[in-house]
Amino acid sequence: MHHFLGYSLDEWMAITTIVSIAGGILIWLLNMAIKNGTEKLSNSVKTLINQMDNLSHSLDSIGSSSRRTENRVDRLEDKFEEHIGEAKVRNTRIKNLEQEVFNRKEK
């Protein structure tokens, strides 16, 4: 019979079979662990990405609303300044009319 490193051909076949089966089981277990572990991680990452997208959309909405509010406040300030100017003109006219009607002098 043929011997290699002190083992016969049938012993080498048995060793190869045992190592192959053990390696196959180990690879299968690692594959299952990696798939299950990464699936949970993948779901968590997808959830995080969705939440970040929602947050980004919310921030865009807040920014847009802020710009609209800023524009409205600017227009109101302009109108207020116009009203102040008109009130000053009216006060001046009233004083002039009072002086004209009552011959009052400014104090």
Side-chain angles (χ1 to χ4, degrees):
M1 202 157 280
H2 296 289
H3 290 281
F4 182 70
L5 296 176
Y7 295 107
S8 65
L9 186 57
D10 58 342
E11 290 173 332
W12 276 110
M13 291 300 288
I15 292 171
T16 305
T17 303
I18 292 170
V19 169
S20 297
I21 291 173
I25 291 172
L26 180 64
I27 289 172
W28 179 76
L29 287 173
L30 287 173
N31 190 17
M32 292 300 290
I34 289 171
K35 279 186 181 178
N36 290 338
T38 58
E39 184 176 322
K40 291 177 185 176
L41 179 64
S42 176
N43 290 339
S44 298
V45 169
K46 285 179 186 177
T47 303
L48 179 63
I49 288 171
N50 287 338
Q51 289 174 346
M52 289 176 62
D53 286 341
N54 291 339
L55 180 61
S56 175
H57 179 68
S58 297
L59 288 175
D60 289 343
S61 297
I62 290 170
S64 174
S65 174
S66 172
R67 284 188 292 277
R68 286 194 312 265
T69 302
E70 185 178 338
N71 289 338
R72 288 190 348 229
V73 167
D74 288 343
R75 285 191 308 242
L76 287 173
E77 285 177 346
D78 291 343
K79 285 183 181 180
F80 181 72
E81 293 296 327
E82 287 177 20
H83 287 297
I84 288 176
E86 290 173 4
K88 286 180 182 177
V89 169
R90 285 189 188 119
N91 285 341
T92 304
R93 285 184 183 170
I94 289 171
K95 284 182 184 179
N96 290 340
L97 283 174
E98 284 178 345
Q99 286 176 1
E100 214 176 283
V101 171
F102 299 111
N103 289 326
R104 289 187 182 170
K105 293 187 180 179
E106 246 183 75
K107 295 181 182 178

